[in-house]
Amino acid sequence: LKKRINYGVGYILLIVAIVVVCVVVNIVLEQLPLSLDLTANKQFSITEETEKILDGLKEDVEIIALYDRVKGEADQYKSEIIKILDIYDRNEHIDVSYVSLDINPNIVNDKVGTATAATYSEGDYIVKSAKRNKRIAADEMFDTDVSYLGNILPITYNTGNKTENKVSTAIKYVTLDIIPNLYVSTGLQEDSKDEYGLIFENIDNMNINIKELDISKTQKMPEDAGALVFLNPKRDLSEIEFDMLYQWLSFDGGMVFAAFDSDMTGTAMTRFNKLLSELYGMEIKNDIVSDEEDYQITAAAKPSVITAADLKYGPLKDNVLPNTFISFDSRSIKMLNTSNYFESHPLIQTSKTGKSIEYITGEEFTGISTLAACGEYFANGTHSRVVVLGSSLGLKDSYINKYANSSSEL
């Protein structure tokens, strides 16, 4: 069971590290939505993907809308949702019902129990199987935007219907046999995962549980941990934290995704680098990378915002991804020799005109710099993985929104 969980999360995190990162490029350059709006073109019909999910159902699923149907049909937006839910209701394994909390305030307690009942409000949706349940908040069914009346009064309006995406994802979640767990580290002064809301929304849509873990307060990784994410840690691992992660990765088959933003304070990541070098043959350098002669985002207008290339060998040899990746103020990753028990590959690199400058020594290096890399460890009867990025900035909501209307000089 544990091997299945680890393998599944490892595969998903490679997608998050490679595919989702490249999706961010598409957002920046082409303004594509990060999450697929399955009903954008055929608003009251379902897609082939949803048909496969429904055809594969072997157990019953309840969908409870927490509002009165008649009143909902009189609402412009709820009426759209109801028409889509009617399609789901035709499936023999799905039962859709409408219950207002004003009429039956105990419905949530009865369906999900008292532990999580307080999270539900009028207008929300409960998706429930015999295994588990999932909440869909009322405001998640539509994409929204905000305009300002007289530059003062904010007005929120809906821009796209996401009902099919949310409902189909929830059905898949409540019927899966195994739900992998991804832990986000909070013990090393990392950035809040709230700054990466779009990325984690996609991870949630992949039906992965997202939890937080303060590794400074535990001496052993949780048994259900399939992967651990570090988002811009600002301090190094302690000796105890190093030993815990070393054990988990070298004997238990863990998976780590880490993004180390450029740090001009010169904070040494000695134990992180020991972990990365001994198990995966790579090190994080304390520098900043630029590439003045490579393509840049026009709106950024600085050489540390570069359009680097992803590589077509190693884990990416069979990929069909876009061939560029936008890097913001990245540090570089030093690739070491591959041994007989680990294998490492650059994932994203600059051109030959790239330049890196060490913060402490001021040493300059000109040539190809690696901005993202992955490694695999196979010894002690286990198989673990790591994906490392030299910057997390391009994954942040603020950067995605800031550069949404930017273009690249080609």
Side-chain angles (χ1 to χ4, degrees):
L1 175 63
K2 188 171 183 181
K3 286 184 178 179
R4 290 177 64 190
I5 292 175
N6 285 342
Y7 176 81
V9 177
Y11 178 74
I12 290 295
L13 270 184
L14 284 174
I15 294 175
V16 172
I18 302 167
V19 178
V20 176
V21 169
C22 288
V23 170
V24 173
V25 176
N26 285 335
I27 294 173
V28 173
L29 300 183
E30 300 176 17
Q31 303 181 56
L32 295 178
L34 190 63
S35 58
L36 183 62
D37 181 359
L38 298 175
T39 63
N41 298 319
K42 302 173 73 173
Q43 195 164 23
F44 302 122
S45 63
I46 58 175
T47 62
E48 183 178 344
E49 181 179 348
T50 289
E51 289 176 351
K52 289 179 180 178
I53 293 173
L54 298 184
D55 290 343
L57 279 178
K58 299 293 189 295
E59 58 188 289
D60 294 338
V61 175
E62 286 186 84
I63 302 174
I64 304 103
L66 298 178
Y67 52 85
D68 179 79
R69 172 164 181 147
V70 174
K71 292 181 179 179
E73 289 175 334
D75 180 274
Q76 175 184 352
Y77 298 115
K78 282 190 176 70
S79 63
E80 290 184 17
I81 297 171
I82 291 171
K83 290 176 182 177
I84 297 170
L85 291 181
D86 283 346
I87 300 174
Y88 287 88
D89 199 27
R90 296 169 194 159
N91 185 280
E92 62 177 337
H93 288 291
I94 296 179
D95 177 64
V96 179
S97 60
Y98 299 82
V99 182
S100 172
L101 293 179
D102 294 333
I103 303 299
N104 186 352
N106 294 321
I107 183 66
V108 179
N109 281 341
D110 296 341
K111 294 296 182 180
V112 305
T114 58
T116 58
T119 63
Y120 286 83
S121 302
E122 180 81 7
D124 289 350
Y125 301 82
I126 302 171
V127 182
K128 185 180 186 306
S129 73
K131 294 189 181 81
R132 62 186 72 88
N133 54 74
K134 187 176 180 68
R135 170 181 176 257
I136 305 175
D139 59 4
E140 292 179 1
M141 290 299 207
F142 288 88
D143 281 318
T144 59
D145 203 349
V146 177
S147 62
Y148 289 87
L149 184 62
N151 293 323
I152 298 176
L153 181 65
I155 300 176
T156 302
Y157 59 94
N158 294 333
T159 59
N161 192 311
K162 298 196 298 183
T163 301
E164 185 179 356
N165 175 282
K166 290 297 181 180
V167 174
S168 294
T169 297
I171 291 172
K172 199 169 183 180
Y173 173 84
V174 300
T175 56
L176 281 174
D177 291 329
I178 298 173
I179 303 296
N181 293 302
L182 181 152
Y183 280 85
V184 181
S185 174
T186 63
L188 304 181
Q189 303 170 19
E190 294 93 346
D191 293 337
S192 168
K193 70 181 179 66
D194 294 340
E195 297 184 51
Y196 306 84
L198 294 172
I199 297 299
F200 282 109
E201 179 182 346
N202 275 262
I203 295 174
D204 181 68
N205 286 340
M206 294 175 187
N207 286 315
I208 295 176
N209 283 331
I210 302 169
K211 302 181 178 181
E212 294 187 351
L213 177 68
D214 185 344
I215 65 170
S216 68
K217 296 180 180 179
T218 183
Q219 295 184 347
K220 185 179 180 181
M221 286 295 295
E223 288 292 330
D224 65 353
L228 180 63
V229 175
F230 294 96
L231 296 171
N232 186 24
K234 298 175 183 63
R235 74 163 175 85
D236 194 18
L237 296 169
S238 68
E239 186 174 347
I240 294 175
E241 293 161 352
F242 171 86
D243 291 341
M244 179 180 69
L245 290 180
Y246 197 99
Q247 168 72 28
W248 185 58
L249 291 170
S250 60
F251 289 94
D252 298 332
M255 168 71 184
V256 164
F257 173 87
F260 297 89
D261 289 6
S262 187
D263 179 13
M264 66 178 61
T265 66
T267 302
M269 295 292 180
T270 306
R271 291 193 181 93
F272 258 120
N273 273 332
K274 184 179 180 183
L275 188 76
L276 293 173
S277 62
E278 291 187 6
L279 296 183
Y280 306 105
M282 65 180 76
E283 291 180 351
I284 284 287
K285 297 180 67 177
N286 191 26
D287 59 358
I288 187 167
V289 179
S290 61
D291 196 352
E292 294 188 8
E293 296 183 26
D294 202 1
Y295 305 144
Q296 299 176 30
I297 299 179
T298 304
K302 61 179 182 176
S304 60
V305 180
I306 58 180
T307 307
D310 68 345
L311 306 179
K312 300 298 187 291
Y313 57 82
L316 295 182
K317 65 185 178 202
D318 299 319
N319 85 91
V320 290
L321 304 177
N323 60 1
T324 57
F325 167 79
I326 305 301
S327 174
F328 297 84
D329 298 343
S330 179
R331 62 169 81 196
S332 65
I333 302 164
K334 182 178 180 181
M335 307 304 296
L336 308 176
N337 293 329
T338 297
S339 77
N340 60 356
Y341 63 88
F342 67 72
E343 186 175 302
S344 57
H345 298 278
L347 294 177
I348 299 166
Q349 293 184 322
T350 68
S351 72
K352 295 179 180 179
T353 62
K355 179 186 293 186
S356 69
I357 302 176
E358 288 275 358
Y359 279 119
I360 301 300
T361 65
E363 180 181 358
E364 293 189 12
F365 168 79
T366 300
I368 296 174
S369 289
T370 296
L371 307 181
C374 70
E376 296 184 80
Y377 173 88
F378 25 85
N380 303 320
T382 192
H383 183 192
S384 68
R385 301 172 178 85
V386 67
V387 176
V388 180
L389 266 64
S391 173
S392 74
L393 298 180
L395 305 179
K396 289 187 174 184
D397 296 351
S398 58
Y399 276 72
I400 294 172
N401 294 331
K402 181 177 180 179
Y403 294 102
N405 297 315
S406 301
S407 61
S408 59
E409 297 178 346
L410 302 176

